[in-house]
Amino acid sequence: MEECKPTEISSSKMFGGYNKRYKHFSPTLGCSMTFHIYFPPSPSPSPSHKFPVLYWLSGLTCTDENFITKSGAQRSAAKEGIALIAPDTSPRGLSIEGEADSWDFGVGAGFYLNATQEKWKNWRMYDYVVKELPKLLNENFPQLDTLRASISGHSMGGHGALTIYLKNLDKYKSVSAFAPIVNPINCPWGQKAFSNYLGGNKADWEEYDATCLVKKFNDVSATILIDQGEDDKFLHDQLLPHKFAEACSSAKVPLLLRTQPGYDHSYYFISTFIDDHISHHAQAVKLPTPP
């Protein structure tokens, strides 16, 4: 379908590359969606060069713009030659009753799952991120190498990055997260979202819980990197990183969980440590230099 092809709606130069925003119709979600790509500067004189990609999944209330405008990730992405892909966090414009009643559910709160409840049937952000978006990028942006991909995110998006990575170890080279919701079946945000999107069967919830999944999908070769601010007000009731650390230890999955004194849940925290994450993914997605 022609309208499914992405249309560029803005472009801004940054660190020699370009932040470009696109709009397209998503058959998966049944609505128009926007996403950002940061294209790093092309290495001259190689017009056929393809950039590996890093998907960034944002948190509750965010759009595709937050990471692009606030993280400063483009500086390291330009240096490392990695394209940044930032999708939105939920379907928009569907006018489902109650979709905007609260900030932690509905619009801006897709939780990167495929909803099974009829009312929320369009909330299929898992399929959008894992299937539709990579296919769209592959078909429309020949300068991107979607086979060399990694994934990262913040809070709800950190939850998305970890669960998507663990269930698709063949599709992503590495994963990292900032302040992820790692055990949503045991925190208020997750319980509210999962009961509404997935219904009352808690076994279904475990399919979108990184702490549960790491016990099942534990053939992880690249170390999982997580940064968590010690002054994050959501640390003890919503994020529960110690639960994930215990599960990784039990499953012998390599995890580097860094607790950062004094840092909170904001993009000030993310922008401080984003270079480490870009470097982490660059090592994983870059092909070995030929002799």
Side-chain angles (χ1 to χ4, degrees):
M1 290 173 63
E2 187 63 30
E3 65 266 28
C4 296
K5 292 180 80 67
T7 303
E8 183 180 315
I9 53 178
S10 70
S11 178
S12 301
K13 190 170 185 178
M14 190 176 186
F15 298 116
Y18 285 89
N19 297 307
K20 291 183 179 285
R21 195 183 195 201
Y22 297 90
K23 185 174 186 176
H24 74 111
F25 179 80
S26 165
T28 302
L29 305 175
C31 63
S32 290
M33 293 292 285
T34 53
F35 63 91
H36 264 91
I37 304 177
Y38 175 71
F39 294 98
S42 292
S44 175
S46 177
S48 62
H49 178 81
K50 284 178 171 277
F51 297 111
V53 301
L54 174 61
Y55 295 94
W56 173 270
L57 307 182
S58 289
L60 291 164
T61 74
C62 290
T63 68
D64 58 301
E65 294 187 283
N66 298 69
F67 178 71
I68 294 297
T69 58
K70 293 181 177 180
S71 72
Q74 294 91 334
R75 185 192 299 271
S76 282
K79 179 181 157 196
E80 297 285 3
I82 293 178
L84 305 174
I85 316 293
D88 204 346
T89 53
S90 78
R92 293 182 191 267
L94 291 168
S95 300
I96 307 299
E97 183 192 355
E99 68 174 18
D101 285 358
S102 56
W103 64 273
D104 55 358
F105 177 76
V107 171
F111 272 85
Y112 305 101
L113 50 72
N114 289 337
T116 56
Q117 302 305 292
E118 179 65 21
K119 181 177 180 179
W120 304 103
K121 62 186 178 183
N122 294 83
W123 266 247
R124 300 185 63 81
M125 289 300 295
Y126 178 90
D127 276 358
Y128 179 75
V129 170
V130 175
K131 298 176 182 177
E132 182 178 338
L133 189 55
K135 185 171 184 286
L136 188 81
L137 298 175
N138 196 46
E139 291 174 352
N140 293 279
F141 302 98
Q143 64 272 56
L144 301 180
D145 184 354
T146 55
L147 295 179
R148 288 190 292 150
S150 289
I151 192 163
S152 186
H154 170 230
S155 195
M156 176 185 73
H159 140 79
L162 290 168
T163 55
I164 285 171
Y165 173 77
L166 290 169
K167 294 206 274 190
N168 298 276
L169 291 168
D170 58 328
K171 289 186 171 71
Y172 305 95
K173 306 294 185 188
S174 55
V175 68
S176 73
F178 288 85
I181 306 169
V182 292
N183 193 202
I185 65 172
N186 286 317
C187 79
W189 281 341
Q191 290 163 352
K192 178 177 180 176
F194 287 7
S195 60
N196 281 283
Y197 291 139
L198 303 172
N201 183 356
K202 296 194 175 178
D204 295 337
W205 298 12
E206 293 182 2
E207 291 303 306
Y208 297 103
D209 184 300
T211 299
C212 298
L213 291 172
V214 81
K215 298 166 189 172
K216 194 184 335 184
F217 302 105
N218 55 16
D219 188 23
V220 176
S221 51
T223 299
I224 296 171
L225 171 62
I226 294 177
D227 272 311
Q228 173 63 60
E230 287 186 4
D231 282 13
D232 189 324
K233 66 181 179 181
F234 304 116
L235 173 58
H236 300 295
D237 63 336
Q238 301 282 13
L239 305 177
L240 313 177
H242 63 286
K243 295 279 192 185
F244 186 66
E246 289 165 6
C248 285
S249 177
S250 175
K252 296 183 168 50
V253 167
L255 169 68
L256 176 56
L257 171 60
R258 309 191 306 185
T259 55
Q260 305 292 2
Y263 286 92
D264 59 17
H265 198 70
S266 72
Y267 267 87
Y268 299 120
F269 162 55
I270 294 170
S271 62
T272 302
F273 298 103
I274 192 65
D275 288 3
D276 291 350
H277 288 242
I278 300 293
S279 176
H280 170 78
H281 295 298
Q283 292 175 11
V285 298
K286 284 185 175 178
L287 297 175
T289 306

